[in-house]
Amino acid sequence: NKSRLETYETIMGDHFPNSRNISDSDPIAVERRKKIEEANKNPVDINDPRASFITVDAIEVALSSFHNRKAGGEDRHKPIMLKKLGRNSLIRICAIFRASYLIGLLPDDWLKVILCYIPKTNKKTYLESGSWRPISLMVQIFKLFEKVLLNHARFNSKINNRHYRQKGFRTKMGCEHALSNCTEILVSALLVKGYWLAISLDATVFVTEEKQV
């Protein structure tokens, strides 16, 4: 029998192949230190027009979409804590968001993520990695920063020729709408005794192919 650590390492390796621990000499760590040194020598101007879309109002809009009791990350803080902050605190958060965006760097504490594995339902065995679904619990202030950037990207996208059946990255669209469309086509085919062709691809197929190359 495998120990808990061995089981964890197996699942980790299957779900996140080629992942590694970052040492001080790693190129990612070296590049990060360079950005920090550059920012210390030449502080960014948070009033730079490139970050003007990051405002207190934009933060409040993004925060309003968060569920109050959603699980927190490494700091265990839930969204309700951010919602209870006054405007002065949001102004300070806005300054941090702008600086992070302009520097292209995230604070160290934002990078601390809790990784959890949720067992999938109706699996014959839970000894395989595919029987578990990984979820990451990030600190809520980082998720808030991401939401502000995502809202900006969505509302200012220059892509106007999306296919009418596209569900991803569209407001009020998701998996349920895609499944509803598929079901509609299937039912229509059954009613007229016609044919219906479905092609389904699982992400694990690509992982397997990559390992075989």
Side-chain angles (χ1 to χ4, degrees):
N1 294 332
K2 289 184 177 180
S3 66
R4 289 187 177 183
L5 179 59
E6 289 174 329
T7 301
Y8 172 80
E9 290 177 343
T10 298
I11 297 176
M12 187 76 174
D14 289 343
H15 282 288
F16 305 98
N18 302 321
S19 61
R20 66 186 191 278
N21 294 322
I22 303 299
S23 63
D24 291 340
S25 59
D26 191 282
I28 294 177
V30 173
E31 180 64 25
R32 182 174 178 81
R33 286 198 299 273
K34 286 182 180 179
K35 287 187 176 182
I36 293 175
E37 292 172 1
E38 180 64 25
N40 288 333
K41 292 179 182 178
N42 304 296
V44 297
D45 178 10
I46 61 173
N47 294 315
D48 189 312
R50 292 176 297 170
S52 61
F53 67 92
I54 302 177
T55 63
V56 171
D57 289 341
I59 291 173
E60 289 178 332
V61 169
L63 191 54
S64 66
S65 66
F66 285 28
H67 296 294
N68 290 342
R69 302 293 178 181
K70 194 169 183 63
E74 198 269 342
D75 58 6
R76 300 296 194 275
H77 292 160
K78 300 181 184 295
I80 191 171
M81 187 205 74
L82 294 174
K83 291 184 178 182
K84 293 294 184 180
L85 296 176
R87 191 165 184 84
N88 287 338
S89 295
L90 293 181
I91 290 174
R92 289 181 173 85
I93 290 176
C94 181
I96 294 172
F97 282 3
R98 286 187 176 189
S100 182
Y101 176 77
L102 292 169
I103 297 173
L105 200 65
L106 297 173
D108 289 335
D109 288 342
W110 292 11
L111 300 177
K112 297 177 181 178
V113 178
I114 297 177
L115 185 61
C116 301
Y117 292 97
I118 308 299
K120 297 180 180 178
T121 57
N122 301 322
K123 292 293 182 179
K124 293 181 179 179
T125 177
Y126 289 94
L127 299 178
E128 299 176 356
S129 300
S131 299
W132 300 83
R133 177 177 291 106
I135 63 170
S136 57
L137 300 178
M138 301 182 296
V139 292
Q140 293 297 331
I141 194 168
F142 178 25
K143 296 178 71 173
L144 178 59
F145 182 45
E146 284 189 323
K147 188 68 173 182
V148 171
L149 298 181
L150 178 61
N151 286 345
H152 175 70
R154 281 178 172 172
F155 298 142
N156 294 275
S157 174
K158 296 181 180 180
I159 301 176
N160 298 317
N161 58 343
R162 292 188 180 93
H163 193 275
Y164 73 99
R165 288 197 180 278
Q166 178 181 333
K167 308 302 177 187
F169 301 99
R170 294 185 62 185
T171 305
K172 297 182 180 180
M173 290 288 183
C175 294
E176 292 82 1
H177 298 87
L179 290 173
S180 177
N181 283 161
C182 290
T183 303
E184 179 184 353
I185 297 173
L186 173 60
V187 172
S188 298
L190 291 174
L191 290 175
V192 298
K193 297 181 180 181
Y195 295 93
W196 188 74
L197 174 64
I199 301 176
S200 178
L201 296 178
D202 193 310
T204 55
V205 174
F206 298 102
V207 174
T208 302
E209 291 294 335
E210 183 178 350
K211 288 181 179 179
Q212 291 176 350
V213 173

